[in-house]
Amino acid sequence: MLLLIPGPVQTRPEVRAAMAVDIAPWDRGFMPEYAGIREKVRDLAGGIAGQHACLPLQGAGHFITEAAIRTFVPAGAKLLLVMNGTYADRMARLAREAGRVVVPLAVPDHRSVTPAEVAEVLAADPAIGHVGIVYSETGSGIVNDVPGVGAAVRTAGRRMIVDAVSAFGALPFDLKAQPEVDAVVFTSNKCIEGLPGIGFAVCPIDRVTACAGNAGSWSFDLADIYATALRAGWGSFRFTPPVQALHAFGKALEFFQAEGGQPARHARYRENARLLHEGVRALGLKPYLDWDHQGPIIVTVHQPADPRFTLMEFVEALKTRGVLISNFYNTPVPTMRIGCIGDIHAEDIRFALRAIAETLDGMGIRQRDAA
Ligand SMILES: *Cc1c(COP(=O)(O)O)cnc(C)c1O
């Protein structure tokens, strides 16, 4: 089966095979492996040894995002959130439920926010200490201008938290060039092409130590994760980790580096997105985003207007042809989401486009423009 979804992604067989081992996380043989993964991840984020730390947390992407918000935004403090997609909605919910005050900045989900839009809100409200932004909005497929918005945040003397869950490893990110960033967060199962199980935050150490005591949670406290590393070593855990997923992530990092790292991965995904965007148009379907706003992670396509079309039926029929796409959508109007990330190459996209064409024909869908 070809998984064309924006995570958990299609993985290489060698990465999946790395899961099939028993490991004790505190074993002297594994601790250096884990410590080495943390160093590699810090470096990939543009972090500097001694200045930045990789702080992993077991669980889904939402958990590491919540940990970053709890750690850096004090309870009762204001957080400006750029709202242009469903992952921003989720960030707002977890921030509110953690008792942080969300100031939403509504932006349409078919374009990036502009640095000027953020600067204006920050200028109007000096009580906003942080800006939260989703780098690649996996709802629609747009990419927010993180370096540009970061510069506006820096100028305004505020701090930033970046949800780079679906961006990290594919879109460029350089922590040392963005000193306004308190945390960039991502997971093992998206553009690095590992398996799900663990999230990572890379953060400036002076900010982590300054924020000790903010979290109001032991589980979701990045400062406590840092303190544990100092006390017990960078190969140590507070609680049982998904140790097999970590071992496999180490393998995925090897393939990532062998491929040529972030620039190569970006180029492969962008070509996947280009083929998809062009290919669905050739089938008479309408992409949700103009190519100018289309990111390399996910191509969202309007569901056909044809009354015979239902998403669930389409997804199940496509699956019988060897391709799995999401059976839900995250846009205000009915769409289909097709992932470009994972161990997916141009020939896979061509195969998927043929399968999509056959499936639409098989279902008798002739009216293919937007519903
Ligand atoms: C996948 C994703 C997440 C995290 O999702 P989980 O299901 O919690 O792992 C967060 N933000 C973005 C932008 C994502 O694409």
Side-chain angles (χ1 to χ4, degrees):
M1 186 67 66
L2 198 57
L3 246 59
L4 292 187
I5 59 176
V9 299
Q10 177 100 6
T11 53
R12 298 179 69 106
E14 298 92 333
V15 171
R16 293 194 297 278
M19 293 281 286
V21 284
D22 288 317
I23 310 169
W26 40 260
D27 184 85
R28 288 277 175 89
F30 183 71
M31 287 176 76
E33 182 178 330
Y34 174 48
I37 287 173
R38 292 175 81 162
E39 283 179 13
K40 271 194 193 176
V41 167
R42 178 201 60 215
D43 293 351
L44 282 180
I48 296 169
Q51 286 179 39
H52 300 101
C54 168
L55 303 170
L57 179 69
Q58 299 88 333
H62 287 78
F63 297 11
I64 190 73
T65 306
E66 175 165 351
I69 287 173
R70 282 182 171 274
T71 303
F72 294 107
V73 183
K78 281 187 177 177
L79 167 72
L80 171 66
L81 282 181
V82 174
M83 308 297 294
N84 53 357
T86 39
Y87 285 88
D89 294 342
R90 288 152 168 251
M91 210 165 165
R93 175 169 175 180
L94 60 85
R96 285 195 186 104
E97 295 202 8
R100 277 63 177 167
V101 179
V102 172
V103 180
L105 169 56
V107 178
D109 77 344
H110 49 77
R111 67 161 173 90
S112 166
V113 69
T114 65
E117 286 170 323
V118 173
E120 194 184 316
V121 184
L122 292 180
D125 189 349
I128 297 171
H130 278 81
V131 175
I133 190 165
V134 177
Y135 197 168
S136 159
E137 228 328 325
T138 329
S140 64
I142 53 143
V143 171
N144 276 313
D145 175 10
V146 164
V149 170
V153 173
R154 196 155 68 234
T155 303
R158 317 299 168 85
R159 310 291 310 163
M160 188 151 92
I161 292 172
V162 183
D163 170 351
V165 177
S166 71
F168 193 81
L171 294 171
F173 185 83
D174 188 5
L175 198 52
K176 61 187 166 304
Q178 295 209 250
E180 73 284 359
V181 171
D182 273 345
V184 55
V185 302
F186 45 92
T187 62
S188 51
N189 62 303
K190 295 207 178 176
C191 302
I192 304 289
E193 303 183 2
L195 292 138
I198 191 141
F200 301 91
V202 187
C203 308
I205 290 171
D206 58 348
R207 289 288 303 148
V208 177
T209 52
C211 291
N214 273 352
S217 159
W218 181 21
S219 299
F220 293 107
D221 187 2
L222 296 178
D224 189 64
I225 297 174
Y226 177 68
T228 303
L230 286 191
R231 192 173 58 246
W234 292 89
S236 64
F237 274 98
R238 304 182 306 161
F239 318 121
T240 302
V243 62
Q244 285 79 8
L246 261 173
H247 183 56
F249 183 72
K251 186 52 81 185
L253 279 173
E254 287 172 22
F255 283 110
F256 176 78
Q257 275 160 339
E259 185 178 351
Q262 175 268 321
R265 203 141 282 189
H266 188 196
R268 175 158 62 84
Y269 292 169
R270 177 139 291 279
E271 178 62 3
N272 288 348
R274 192 191 65 78
L275 288 169
L276 268 172
H277 204 268
E278 192 179 275
V280 294
R281 278 184 287 133
L283 295 177
L285 296 165
K286 186 176 176 351
Y288 186 69
L289 298 176
D290 293 337
W291 178 248
D292 292 350
H293 295 286
Q294 176 65 60
I297 307 302
I298 175 171
V299 170
T300 302
V301 182
H302 285 279
Q303 289 182 27
D306 199 302
R308 269 163 298 196
F309 185 91
T310 72
L311 182 61
M312 200 53 82
E313 209 185 315
F314 176 72
V315 169
E316 289 299 317
L318 187 59
K319 206 165 78 180
T320 66
R321 294 187 152 85
V323 178
L324 184 63
I325 66 166
S326 303
N327 59 13
F328 58 92
Y329 58 91
N330 282 326
T331 49
V333 299
T335 55
M336 320 186 251
R337 28 192 345 247
I338 312 177
C340 311
I341 64 175
D343 184 32
I344 301 292
H345 303 260
E347 61 274 21
D348 300 313
I349 299 294
R350 291 195 188 94
F351 173 84
L353 285 165
R354 284 194 298 276
I356 290 170
E358 288 165 15
T359 305
L360 289 171
D361 287 345
M363 288 172 72
I365 309 296
R366 271 180 291 277
Q367 205 188 326
R368 294 179 181 179
D369 50 342

